[in-house]
Amino acid sequence: MAGSTDNRPPGAGHGGPAVPPPLWLLAELTYRCPLHCVFCYNPTRYASTGAELSTAQWVDVMRQARALGAAQLGFSGGEPLLRDDLEELVREARGLGFYTNLITSGVGLSPARARRLKDAGLDHVQLSFQDSTRELNDFLSHTRTFELKQQVARTIKEHDWPMVLNCVLHRHNLPHVGAIIEMALALQAEYLELANAQYYGWAWLNRDQLMPTREQLREAEAVVQSWRERIGSRCRLLFVVPDYFEERPKACMNGWGSVFLSIAPDGLAMPCHNARDLPGLSLPHVGEHGIADIWQRSQAFNAYRGEDWMREPCRSCDERHKDFGGCRCQAFLLTGDAAATDPVCAKSPAHGQIVELVRSAPARRHIPLVFRSDAHSRALG
Ligand code: SF4
Ligand code: FES
């Protein structure tokens, strides 16, 4: 029987009588991955985490999350296709009434596997690319996967799935943004997510190498806009500007403990997939606590929920309902204090640090890129 995480009433730390349920359950099925991307968002110390949850434990998590009210389920990783039980989990999730989404590098999505996942009821696929050229795609992932990804994109369309292509942008591939859009159109993607790298996880280690120039961003945004005008709704283009180039932070996670319930491969429940790296959080394990209890009462999910935790300048800022003070992980990485105002915000006393990082990155480009690897992850910790 799952125990209680603390004795505060539901809603404690949220400033209201009840905590609305999560919308999304993010099932990070495994940190294992055949790729070695330099901007991977998995924690850098993933290799020293505990054993993966079993099929039965995942099914139990899904049942509880659905009973709590979660409606959408993302299967991600690492590479979720490395789990042999993915079909079984998808079937169970559909039976529970979740809308299911597979977030994949494509490695392992053979036509036979795609058929089985279709039969199991998978609703939607998000496929990642690293670039529109074989050279850069294969270099940045440290694998020969470019052709395979093209084939997988065709397989996805043959199975009538709506397809999101996702390409993380940075200074190496920003000049290719037009070609990336052409590739997405050729592959018949319904949606192309052009998400500039955000600097945490492995991208934090490679920040100086990945950071674009303002000029590159301006040009890429203009290219995206001109394509938008030409293609209308044929393929929706989302261009996410990197935080460091903004004056206000993003509403990270749409607010802590508000929409997303992430479960890590080893069963730790997290309000953000990077929360493992934040100090002072007791992350609850799904084997020890029920999902409703975790969501409503746990210290970790209440730590930055709502506004009670905020300090100045956020506490009295009239924009706090819009961005919730920005990203806790970014605040911690840049200031050492997870409760600080995100330094991306021009009102933060630490904002000058961001301005200086953007200005001086080109001078530090000689630092070698760090590819995600088990060996490097183990060395970190
Ligand atoms: Fe957002 Fe805080 Fe900046 Fe206000 S001070 S805009 S709430 S980050
Ligand atoms: Fe963790 Fe933003 S990435 S709160």
Side-chain angles (χ1 to χ4, degrees):
M1 175 74 186
S4 178
T5 51
D6 73 13
N7 53 13
R8 286 187 294 175
H14 185 260
V19 180
L23 172 63
W24 272 95
L25 171 63
L26 290 175
E28 293 194 295
L29 296 182
T30 179
Y31 284 140
R32 290 174 289 137
C33 186
L35 275 63
H36 303 279
C37 299
V38 295
F39 42 71
C40 175
Y41 62 82
N42 282 165
T44 49
R45 283 186 278 266
Y46 71 83
S48 44
T49 56
E52 290 176 10
L53 294 182
S54 66
T55 310
Q57 285 174 305
W58 276 118
V59 169
D60 187 38
V61 165
M62 294 191 303
R63 285 196 181 132
Q64 290 187 57
R66 184 75 187 115
L68 183 60
Q72 312 212 24
L73 204 170
F75 291 106
S76 74
E79 177 45 69
L81 286 158
L82 288 176
R83 289 277 304 216
D84 294 339
D85 56 358
L86 183 59
E87 290 86 332
E88 193 178 339
L89 295 177
V90 168
R91 190 177 301 281
E92 185 72 30
R94 283 305 276 119
L96 289 166
F98 277 110
Y99 182 83
T100 54
N101 184 21
L102 174 65
I103 300 158
T104 179
S105 68
V107 179
L109 194 58
S110 63
R113 193 108 201 252
R115 172 49 49 202
R116 292 202 297 275
L117 286 166
K118 187 76 186 178
D119 291 345
L122 181 66
D123 293 299
H124 186 278
V125 185
Q126 176 175 320
L127 174 65
S128 65
F129 272 85
Q130 280 70 22
D131 190 42
S132 55
T133 68
R134 179 189 301 104
E135 293 69 25
L136 202 48
N137 183 86
D138 292 359
F139 172 69
L140 292 167
S141 63
H142 210 58
T143 52
R144 290 203 180 120
T145 48
F146 184 69
E147 262 91 29
L148 180 137
K149 284 170 181 282
Q150 308 264 336
Q151 180 51 50
V152 166
R154 287 189 280 273
T155 300
I156 292 168
K157 293 316 297 177
E158 279 160 20
H159 288 77
D160 284 331
W161 276 307
M163 178 170 71
V164 173
L165 289 191
N166 168 282
C167 188
V168 175
L169 297 179
H170 40 76
R171 78 174 179 101
H172 299 280
N173 63 3
L174 269 165
H176 303 170
V177 81
I180 295 169
I181 294 169
E182 285 181 61
M183 179 177 77
L185 291 171
L187 294 172
Q188 298 173 49
E190 276 80 13
Y191 200 89
L192 174 62
E193 195 176 271
L194 296 160
N196 276 278
Q198 305 289 355
Y199 301 112
Y200 38 71
W202 294 81
W204 171 258
L205 301 179
N206 290 310
R207 188 181 56 186
D208 294 330
Q209 275 279 6
L210 298 174
M211 188 130 27
T213 61
R214 265 188 208 283
E215 195 49 35
Q216 279 186 311
L217 278 171
R218 250 194 304 271
E219 281 170 16
E221 218 168 350
V223 171
V224 172
Q225 189 48 35
S226 79
W227 273 100
R228 273 196 194 114
E229 283 154 22
R230 281 155 68 185
I231 61 177
S233 60
R234 192 170 134 213
C235 174
R236 301 221 173 261
L237 307 177
L238 178 73
F239 185 80
V240 185
V241 175
D243 274 19
Y244 280 33
F245 291 78
E246 303 271 37
E247 299 271 294
R248 291 289 182 271
K250 297 198 169 57
C252 198
M253 310 311 295
N254 215 28
W256 187 270
S258 153
V259 172
F260 292 102
L261 168 62
S262 281
I263 309 295
D266 58 355
L268 286 186
M270 310 207 230
C272 152
H273 53 272
N274 271 298
R276 193 185 291 273
D277 289 339
L278 292 179
L281 293 179
S282 350
L283 296 171
H285 193 279
V286 297
E288 291 161 16
H289 304 283
I291 295 292
D293 195 36
I294 287 171
W295 179 256
Q296 292 162 348
R297 296 170 185 266
S298 69
Q299 179 268 351
F301 278 77
N302 281 297
Y304 305 110
R305 182 176 262 153
E307 298 171 3
D308 293 352
W309 60 273
M310 288 181 181
R311 307 204 196 115
E312 294 298 345
C314 295
R315 178 174 280 274
S316 59
C317 176
D318 56 9
E319 295 178 67
R320 66 187 185 281
H321 315 295
K322 250 189 347 207
D323 63 32
F324 315 106
C327 173
R328 296 307 87 222
C329 298
Q330 194 149 268
F332 173 66
L333 283 167
L334 288 161
T335 71
D337 179 359
T341 294
D342 186 335
V344 161
C345 181
K347 298 183 190 179
S348 157
H351 183 65
Q353 214 189 117
I354 297 266
V355 174
E356 179 54 22
L357 282 167
V358 169
R359 192 196 62 76
S360 58
R364 293 189 302 273
R365 303 269 205 232
H366 58 278
I367 301 166
L369 277 166
V370 178
F371 291 88
R372 171 200 151 121
S373 73
D374 293 355
H376 200 99
S377 177
R378 272 192 291 270
L380 288 168

